[in-house]
Amino acid sequence: MEINPAVTFKHDRSIMYAKRPKVLIVGAGLGGLTLGMLLHKANIPFEIYERAAVVKPLGSAMFFNSTTAPLFKQCGIYDEFLSIGKYLSKIDMCTEDRKVAFELSFAGHEEVFGAKGYIVARPQLYDLILRQIPTERIHMNKKVLTMEQGGNGVLVRFSDGTEAEGDILVGADGAYSAVRQNLYAKLKKESKLSATDVLPLPFSTVCIVGQTRPLTPEQFPDLGREESVFSRVMGADKMYSWDTFTTAQNTVCWDAVLYLDENTSKDNDTFRNSEWGPEAAMAMCKEVKDFPVVSGGDKKLTLGDLFEWSDKDLISKVMLEEKVFKTWYSCRTMSPSGGAGASNAMHDAIALANRINGLPFHPTADEIETVFKEYQNERVGWVNAAFENSKMMRNMVGQVRI
């Protein structure tokens, strides 16, 4: 994108000259918070802007292994991370008659890679990272309307009439990123946007996620085991898979994933732009409530039992968009490729924070673009791999159904 000399900024550049670049982060999800935490540790000025008025403790469980252990260790929160996580040694791949067909073992990972893997409830992890960031750095109820960038910096305007200025803008605001939409609109006018980037976001899966209230081993026997139990059932005659995970908080995190075909994709298209929340989830809960759950012992539980043990307003339906954008950045604005999941977003934050940390004081737009290009080159292979793994999972379910 060409630098716009008409864009002016209120701050005194002579004062800013001796300072590190200020980063504006749009989106307070796990990716945005992780980037903020890392910038805070590196004494790089930043602000986080989130469109929601409040962030609800939504989501299921996440698995973290040796690839993220250095992040938690270097930020000084590894012990607390371990306290909210539960060690996972394997994944049980199960049939609908509640039998284990085979397992994916993680035995020996600590000896080979330096750390074990842990299941952590997403709300617990979110709260841990949130507490590492000064509260005054996070601004809620900030919906992006427009952004401008030029030789002096970047300017973001919000729906409440306020503005924010900085040196770098990072869109960490999800698959339907307002930052990306603004950036792409400008690039499209200049005929600098890839033809594939203007196409609608495709999606081939939709899921519901949630977490029960704390239970006893009498209610869910696998909670009595020292290790986390991760059970995945592949539907025998349906395009579904569903998971359960036991946590350190004696809850059961769960999800059910529908792998869409042409007809079910049309049925779910109305949810494309819906927020995470209970309204869109209840219909899907009814569809899957009788699916069998592996709970340990002689219990014959179903997903419906887990729904009854879960707070209804914390059950959410999620569209899982799948696309690797070709255009990630321009000038002072970065919007990483979407649809690769929260875990990948956290790895993105690590790579981007390292690159930003290497920038000189008061970097030029060219220097920032060079860093953005290095970042994309580092991460694009991982994002493409995540995209291909998602397609492989869908194909596996299709083969089981056949």
Side-chain angles (χ1 to χ4, degrees), residues 11-201:
H11 53 237
D12 186 342
R13 297 306 296 182
S14 64
I15 296 175
M16 295 285 290
Y17 186 79
K19 294 183 178 180
R20 307 196 74 177
K22 181 178 180 180
V23 182
L24 307 181
I25 304 169
V26 175
L30 284 173
L33 289 188
T34 301
L35 179 58
M37 174 179 68
L38 293 170
L39 295 178
H40 182 59
K41 295 291 182 182
N43 293 316
I44 297 173
F46 71 95
E47 303 290 338
I48 300 176
Y49 301 92
E50 167 58 44
R51 68 176 182 174
V54 295
V55 176
K56 289 185 177 182
L58 300 174
S60 183
M62 301 180 68
F63 174 64
F64 293 95
N65 57 18
S66 58
T67 62
T68 47
L71 164 68
F72 300 121
K73 290 179 180 179
Q74 292 172 25
C75 289
I77 57 174
Y78 190 61
D79 287 343
E80 191 168 0
F81 166 77
L82 295 181
S83 73
I84 64 173
K86 198 167 187 178
Y87 170 58
L88 179 73
S89 64
K90 62 187 177 69
I91 301 175
D92 291 331
M93 305 296 290
C94 305
T95 59
E96 289 196 54
D97 58 0
R98 298 183 175 87
K99 295 180 180 179
V100 177
F102 62 95
E103 65 180 43
L104 303 177
S105 176
F106 306 132
H109 275 209
E110 184 174 23
E111 292 75 15
V112 176
F113 302 113
K116 295 179 179 179
Y118 294 85
I119 285 289
V120 181
R122 192 182 191 279
Q124 295 283 335
L125 178 70
Y126 187 92
D127 180 67
L128 171 61
I129 298 178
L130 180 65
R131 286 188 278 107
Q132 311 310 310
I133 301 172
T135 56
E136 65 271 15
R137 297 286 188 183
I138 303 177
H139 311 275
M140 305 300 292
N141 205 21
K142 294 289 184 179
K143 182 179 180 180
V144 173
L145 289 183
T146 63
M147 49 80 68
E148 299 288 343
Q149 57 183 344
N152 288 334
V154 62
L155 172 68
V156 181
R157 297 184 179 90
F158 302 100
S159 61
D160 61 0
T162 60
E163 298 178 347
E165 298 179 21
D167 299 286
I168 295 173
L169 173 62
V170 178
D173 48 341
Y176 298 96
S177 166
V179 172
R180 184 186 298 115
Q181 290 174 13
N182 272 273
L183 178 64
Y184 279 14
K186 297 178 187 299
L187 290 174
K188 186 177 180 181
K189 286 182 179 180
E190 299 170 8
S191 300
K192 295 181 178 179
L193 188 63
S194 167
T196 60
D197 284 341
V198 302
L199 298 175
L201 269 173

Side-chain angles (χ1 to χ4, degrees), residues 129-334:
I129 298 178
L130 180 65
R131 286 188 278 107
Q132 311 310 310
I133 301 172
T135 56
E136 65 271 15
R137 297 286 188 183
I138 303 177
H139 311 275
M140 305 300 292
N141 205 21
K142 294 289 184 179
K143 182 179 180 180
V144 173
L145 289 183
T146 63
M147 49 80 68
E148 299 288 343
Q149 57 183 344
N152 288 334
V154 62
L155 172 68
V156 181
R157 297 184 179 90
F158 302 100
S159 61
D160 61 0
T162 60
E163 298 178 347
E165 298 179 21
D167 299 286
I168 295 173
L169 173 62
V170 178
D173 48 341
Y176 298 96
S177 166
V179 172
R180 184 186 298 115
Q181 290 174 13
N182 272 273
L183 178 64
Y184 279 14
K186 297 178 187 299
L187 290 174
K188 186 177 180 181
K189 286 182 179 180
E190 299 170 8
S191 300
K192 295 181 178 179
L193 188 63
S194 167
T196 60
D197 284 341
V198 302
L199 298 175
L201 269 173
F203 64 96
S204 60
T205 53
V206 60
C207 71
I208 49 171
V209 297
Q211 180 179 193
T212 70
R213 296 178 288 275
L215 305 175
T216 67
E218 287 72 28
Q219 293 170 295
F220 200 93
D222 276 341
L223 286 171
R225 296 172 61 175
E226 185 176 351
E227 297 181 3
S228 177
V229 180
F230 178 172
S231 300
R232 169 165 291 172
V233 181
M234 309 286 283
D237 58 354
K238 54 184 72 71
M239 290 291 286
Y240 279 95
S241 68
W242 54 100
D243 305 319
T244 54
F245 324 75
T246 57
T247 75
Q249 293 74 39
N250 290 321
T251 65
V252 179
C253 291
W254 52 265
D255 64 62
V257 182
L258 170 61
Y259 300 86
L260 303 173
D261 55 26
E262 183 176 351
N263 291 326
T264 54
S265 179
K266 293 176 181 177
D267 293 340
N268 283 274
D269 196 57
T270 55
F271 295 108
R272 178 184 290 270
N273 294 310
S274 63
E275 298 288 341
W276 284 27
E279 296 83 5
M282 291 303 102
M284 190 168 175
C285 284
K286 291 180 181 178
E287 293 173 5
V288 303
K289 65 182 178 63
D290 295 325
F291 288 6
V293 166
V294 180
S295 61
D298 297 326
K299 287 280 186 177
K300 301 293 185 182
L301 299 177
T302 65
L303 283 177
D305 294 307
L306 301 185
F307 301 159
E308 290 299 319
W309 290 329
S310 304
D311 292 334
K312 300 300 183 290
D313 60 342
L314 299 182
I315 297 175
S316 51
K317 181 176 180 178
V318 187
M319 308 302 299
L320 303 178
E321 295 84 358
E322 296 176 332
K323 182 174 182 176
V324 179
F325 291 99
K326 294 185 179 299
T327 306
W328 291 24
Y329 64 88
S330 180
C331 192
R332 295 175 175 270
T333 300
M334 161 64 70

